[in-house]
Amino acid sequence: MRAGGKVPHRSLDQLRECKWFVPEQRRGLLLRLNCRVTTKHEMPPSASGYFGSMAESYDSLIHRAVPRYDEMIARLLQYLPRDARRVLELGSGTGNLSLRLAESLPGAALTLVDGSEEMIALVRSRLAETSSSSSARVQSIVARFEELDFPADSFDLVVSSISLHHVENKAALYARIRSLMSKGGRFCFADQIRGEPESNHRLNWERWLDFCREPGHCAPDEIESLLQHAAAHDHYTTLTEHFALLSRAGFTELDCVWRNWMWGIVTATAS
């Protein structure tokens, strides 16, 4: 944390007015709460643009801003079927999960999707440095999740880490994901999950901010930038709604296998 920096503590009354507590209240909320960051540049218009602009510093930030991040990724990997041969990762980012997938699933063909060209370039470079054989069996695509167009039965495993909350229409997304999976395939993702009731969500949010404020974690301007990004691009969904949407899309055997405050891991089977 930068010397002399003071992170603003928002009251629960203020937080209740934010989009992440009351989704309908979107326009002008940052100005009403004085949450806007004073920077030389405007907030990128998309989540991919936001993270693409910080490709080189993303790994440092995610460890300082996401509690138990390494544990979450390790737990997600434990629930992936080792016999998967056609794997789709949604939101590869800088490749933290991608590299682990290439290592733990040596017989699988990997398709990595991210909306940021900068992130895709970085993960390609990291894979090439790690192993030429891994790089050879990896296809990377710059695209939005909602625009994916693969034939039916293209994948027997779809995975994602801290990316799906950027999609507002999850019903359409889950239906699209199911359409390109083989029957019996697995869909496993780690993401930020909206707590329920609202008092749980408020508590989860406060504990996240407490973690960010710890010495050595996030600087005040980083926290403000994350808050601005959340208000502009994040769409948190409760576990109950995730399960309902997944079920309607054609998934069964729904489970939440790990949870830490607002972060969780969900697994499902394509029926």
Side-chain angles (χ1 to χ4, degrees):
M1 182 172 293
R2 298 177 183 176
K6 184 177 181 181
V7 180
H9 287 254
R10 314 224 184 279
S11 69
L12 288 180
D13 288 338
Q14 287 176 311
L15 289 170
R16 287 190 188 99
E17 296 302 316
C18 288
K19 185 277 302 182
W20 40 87
F21 291 112
V22 187
E24 298 81 9
Q25 298 183 4
R26 281 185 161 278
R27 301 185 181 276
L29 62 93
L30 291 172
L31 293 176
R32 292 199 301 274
L33 294 182
N34 194 28
C35 293
R36 189 173 180 83
V37 184
T38 303
T39 62
K40 296 180 180 179
H41 305 285
E42 290 297 314
M43 172 64 62
S46 66
S48 58
Y50 175 80
F51 289 112
S53 67
M54 61 170 66
E56 295 298 330
S57 60
Y58 177 80
D59 286 350
S60 170
L61 177 63
I62 200 167
H63 283 90
R64 292 181 287 111
V66 179
R68 296 164 60 184
Y69 173 74
D70 287 332
E71 176 189 333
M72 181 176 66
I73 295 300
R75 188 67 61 87
L76 175 61
L77 287 163
Q78 289 178 344
Y79 283 92
L80 305 184
R82 291 298 180 263
D83 59 350
R85 291 294 177 265
R86 298 163 297 153
V87 181
L88 172 66
E89 182 188 359
L90 300 176
S92 59
T94 60
N96 289 330
L97 178 59
S98 311
L99 293 172
R100 301 286 298 275
L101 289 172
E103 177 184 4
S104 60
L105 302 173
L110 307 178
T111 300
L112 313 179
V113 176
D114 199 281
S116 165
E117 292 184 8
E118 294 87 349
M119 290 294 194
I120 285 292
L122 185 55
V123 72
R124 283 173 177 164
S125 175
R126 293 183 69 184
L127 283 166
E129 291 174 0
T130 302
S131 169
S132 58
S133 61
S134 294
S135 181
R137 57 189 173 89
V138 174
Q139 176 187 19
S140 51
I141 301 172
V142 178
R144 298 177 65 221
F145 305 158
E146 303 94 316
E147 299 168 350
L148 293 178
D149 185 20
F150 292 99
D153 196 35
S154 291
F155 303 100
D156 52 21
L157 173 61
V158 178
V159 299
S160 182
S161 174
I162 320 185
S163 293
L164 300 186
H165 66 278
H166 294 135
V167 178
E168 185 170 13
N169 188 349
K170 292 184 178 65
L173 175 66
Y174 291 163
R176 183 177 293 268
I177 291 172
R178 175 60 190 90
S179 71
L180 53 84
M181 294 182 65
S182 58
K183 184 175 182 180
R186 296 285 283 164
F187 178 29
C188 306
F189 64 87
D191 204 10
Q192 290 162 276
I193 296 174
R194 188 179 189 90
E196 53 184 337
E198 280 297 293
S199 58
N200 283 8
H201 191 63
R202 290 195 297 272
L203 177 62
N204 291 345
W205 192 268
E206 293 276 13
R207 294 294 79 79
W208 168 64
L209 287 175
D210 289 343
F211 177 83
C212 290
R213 295 182 184 114
E214 290 181 11
H217 287 188
C218 298
D221 60 333
E222 289 178 316
I223 294 176
E224 288 299 299
S225 179
L226 289 169
L227 289 171
Q228 186 182 15
H229 164 77
H233 302 305
D234 290 358
H235 308 280
Y236 304 130
T237 303
T238 66
L239 191 61
T240 299
E241 188 174 2
H242 274 298
F243 282 2
L245 295 174
L246 287 166
S247 180
R248 286 200 290 271
F251 290 94
T252 58
E253 299 179 328
L254 310 174
D255 198 4
C256 179
V257 297
W258 183 89
R259 191 77 185 259
N260 179 54
W261 301 117
M262 73 171 72
W263 285 269
I265 297 174
V266 171
T267 63
T269 302
S271 60

